């Protein structure tokens, strides 16, 4: 609407920029939509655990004996990362959390798992 008004006043060069702006807005919503169904779940019971993550339709999961599960936290290039290790696999977890939230989760998991 604003571009049409500017074009009517002789500033027709506004149209390509308005089109580029609309394209960028559309691409932004598409990127958000790609991750609309993403989730991550970690359930720990007395004897076993189940972890599952959906990242753009790609589902990763680990499940098994809680006693053999390890949660590893480390700083990598100034960012705190958490990994879940089980049966020879190591998966990054809590990717959508902030560093402080990952540190808090690491402490909580250490408490739940008996400070292993």
């Amino acid at each position: 609407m604003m571009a049409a008004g500017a074009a009517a006043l002789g500033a027709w060069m506004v149209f390509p920029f308005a089109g580029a702006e609309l394209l960028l807005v559309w691409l932004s919503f598409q990127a958000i939509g790609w991750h609309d169904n993403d989730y991550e779940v970690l359930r720990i019971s007395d004897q076993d655990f189940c972890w599952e993550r959906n990242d753009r339709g790609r589902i990763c999961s680990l499940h098994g004996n809680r006693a053999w599960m390890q949660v590893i936290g480390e700083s990598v290039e100034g960012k705190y990362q958490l990994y879940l290790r089980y049966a020879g696999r190591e998966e990054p977890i809590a990717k959508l959390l902030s560093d402080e939230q990952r540190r808090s989760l690491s402490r909580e998991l250490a408490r739940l798992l008996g400070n292993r």
Side-chain angles (χ1 to χ4, degrees), residues 26-107:
W26 179 80
L27 286 173
S28 299
F29 279 107
Q30 284 295 111
I32 291 169
W34 290 329
H35 294 281
D36 193 34
N37 294 321
D38 289 1
Y39 65 87
E40 186 172 21
V41 178
L42 175 61
R43 292 183 187 95
I44 300 174
S45 67
D46 291 338
Q47 298 297 321
D48 58 346
F49 77 97
C50 179
W51 169 81
E52 183 175 279
R53 178 180 61 224
N54 181 354
D55 187 10
R56 287 187 64 187
R58 187 177 144 253
I59 296 176
C60 299
S61 65
L62 287 173
H63 53 87
N65 190 327
R66 169 185 164 166
W68 298 339
M69 175 184 83
Q70 291 181 320
V71 177
I72 294 114
E74 63 184 16
S75 289
V76 177
E77 297 177 6
K79 291 196 162 225
Y80 191 75
Q81 303 292 325
L82 271 179
Y83 299 94
L84 183 64
R85 186 181 294 164
Y86 182 78
R89 285 181 53 196
E90 188 172 281
E91 294 285 342
I93 63 171
K95 290 168 46 171
L96 297 177
L97 298 181
S98 69
D99 281 357
E100 186 53 42
Q101 290 171 324
R102 278 192 288 271
R103 288 179 198 278
S104 176
L105 178 62
S106 177
R107 288 188 296 269

